[in-house]
Amino acid sequence: MAVILCGLGGCLPPQAIDNQEISKGLDTTPEWIESRTGIRERRMVSAGIGVRELAIKAGARAIASAGGRRIDALVVATTSPERICPAVAPEVAARLELGDIAAYDMTSACSGFVYGLATAAGLIAAGIADTVLLIGAEAFTTFVNPHDRSTRPIFGDGAGAVVLRRGEAEEAGSLGCFDLGSDGGRSDLLAIPAGGSRQRGASGGLGHGNVAADEFFLHMEGRAVYEQAVARMAASAQAVLDRAQWSMEQVDWFVGHQANVRILQTVAFELGLEPEKVAVNIERLGNTLTASIPLLLNDLALRGDLQAGQRVLVSAFGAGLSWGSTVLRWPQLNTRDSEWQD
Ligand code: COA
């Protein structure tokens, strides 16, 4: 038994914000942002749009790419939930007319898509589902302080989705083993301090007025996060390659979470991977958290850069801290661009 990737889709909100525009009112410059992060523009949701609409469009496209295959379970990985309760996945399942299937959200920040792949693979391996729709969906720009120059330019919104089904190991599209890890001792390096149970207290939220507004936005210690991202992604990617018994030379593409182009280049250098094997689209989308890996796969597939049978190394790092890697043999897939319009 193996888990096969058989569908792929993405969705981006239509509003593109370039570095010139994002720099307005911030003590930064377009040049600083591009040179330190590799980002030139990002997409942002407009008022009233949350992850649900992005997830629905990305999910519908992934199902179409899988030839309209019946879905048994839906997992939505998100760091920017539509509402604190309930999960958005049941609403997405209903809007996609998937029937009364198992549907739930999961959170593992920027490693959420890799954790989601492992979760979906587990549902299939356990016989709970034959086919799983996994969506990484984010409207995280709404959780970023518009006055914080160190976080505001970095993030972007979007959703990416894959369909995974039960199959055989020799089939194109088969997912390999996983390496997953976490370090909660460093959780404060990347965190949204308020909005959860710690600040609400026994009065059920009445204490909210005492919490500074800034506490509801992301706090990030950029330099320490950078160093952890490089170290953890490099170690995790190497661990999964060892487990899969793939050599570095056999890897055709390194599809790493798009947090910072310099992080990706440094990880590749530490792994001894040729720079041209590092897949990048951060210049156009910024860091889209759980959506970044499927959106990047979609871009690569659409450009014709990903060929059936190629070996893909996938690795992610994010808040938690958390990280994860997996390997994949690329399948023959039809997909379409991730733009918003139908
Ligand atoms: N414009 C101008 N200066 C900025 C800035 C901006 N947008 N953002 C931060 N700075 C400043 C800092 O305040 C700091 O100033 P100081 O020296 O006076 O304290 C200086 O630039 C250098 O900060 P540093 O954090 O060392 O810069 P950097 O080269 O590491 O780049 C990040 C900053 C945020 C781009 C980088 O640390 C990074 O990408 N970190 C990881 C972020 C990430 O990936 N988060 C998501 C994880 S999934």
Side-chain angles (χ1 to χ4, degrees):
M1 201 286 294
V3 174
I4 310 295
L5 191 156
C6 64
L8 175 65
C11 176
L12 295 165
Q15 188 182 201
I17 310 286
D18 65 16
N19 284 349
Q20 194 72 40
E21 204 171 338
I22 204 92
S23 300
K24 285 181 191 154
L26 292 178
D27 182 17
T28 188
T29 63
E31 294 74 28
W32 191 97
I33 297 167
E34 187 171 349
S35 67
R36 304 311 288 163
T37 67
I39 300 167
R40 285 204 286 269
E41 63 176 34
R42 72 287 293 145
R43 300 297 180 94
M44 284 192 185
V45 291
S46 45
I49 298 290
V51 287
R52 185 184 60 195
E53 299 309 313
L54 294 165
I56 289 167
K57 282 180 186 278
R61 289 169 185 174
I63 294 170
S65 155
R69 187 174 280 271
R70 199 182 72 106
I71 303 295
D72 299 325
L74 168 63
V75 180
V76 176
T78 184
T79 327
S80 37
E82 182 92 358
R83 298 180 284 186
I84 284 184
C85 179
V88 77
E91 278 186 273
V92 174
R95 287 274 300 278
L96 289 173
E97 299 179 357
L98 302 182
D100 50 1
I101 60 167
Y104 59 94
D105 292 3
M106 52 166 286
T107 302
S108 192
C110 299
S111 358
F113 188 76
V114 175
Y115 269 80
L117 287 175
T119 301
L123 290 173
I124 293 170
I128 295 167
D130 282 331
T131 308
V132 179
L133 174 62
L134 167 65
I135 307 175
E138 302 288 357
F140 195 74
T141 58
T142 60
F143 287 75
V144 172
N145 186 338
H147 307 295
D148 180 2
R149 69 175 181 174
S150 70
T151 54
R152 170 84 166 157
I154 291 178
F155 295 95
D157 300 328
V162 293
V163 178
L164 301 161
R165 65 165 171 84
R166 182 185 301 276
E168 299 304 325
E170 53 279 2
E171 286 185 69
S174 64
L175 273 183
C177 41
F178 285 88
D179 176 76
L180 303 174
S182 73
D183 175 6
R186 291 186 166 91
S187 63
D188 288 344
L189 291 183
L190 200 59
I192 299 172
S197 53
R198 198 190 294 179
Q199 280 72 25
R200 288 174 183 249
S203 54
L206 297 179
H208 254 163
N210 302 325
V211 180
D214 177 53
E215 298 287 285
F216 292 90
F217 292 121
L218 178 74
H219 286 226
M220 181 176 81
E221 291 186 33
R223 173 54 53 181
V225 170
Y226 186 103
E227 286 163 6
Q228 285 291 316
V230 169
R232 300 302 194 175
M233 278 172 80
S236 178
Q238 186 62 62
V240 87
L241 286 186
D242 292 346
R243 213 164 289 166
Q245 298 185 316
W246 287 14
S247 69
M248 204 57 73
E249 295 70 42
Q250 286 177 309
V251 173
D252 293 300
W253 285 105
F254 172 52
V255 172
H257 166 57
Q258 305 285 292
N260 182 320
V261 76
R262 292 186 298 133
I263 292 176
L264 295 168
Q265 288 163 348
T266 311
V267 169
F269 177 78
E270 299 218 339
L271 289 171
L273 196 67
E274 294 98 312
E276 56 275 14
K277 290 183 175 175
V278 179
V280 175
N281 69 353
I282 193 173
E283 73 283 356
R284 205 165 54 81
L285 303 185
N287 178 348
T288 58
L289 300 99
T290 61
S292 89
I293 288 172
L295 282 170
L296 178 57
L297 289 172
N298 203 46
D299 275 357
L300 288 175
L302 209 62
R303 280 187 226 151
D305 286 342
L306 264 176
Q307 306 291 332
Q310 283 190 322
R311 292 176 189 242
V312 184
L313 168 62
V314 175
S315 189
F317 169 88
L321 303 176
S322 62
W323 55 88
S325 303
T326 189
V327 291
L328 169 68
R329 289 280 199 138
W330 195 248
Q332 190 71 50
L333 273 186
N334 290 323
T335 189
R336 51 170 288 185
D337 72 47
S338 302
E339 294 304 327
W340 176 263
Q341 63 274 1
D342 290 309

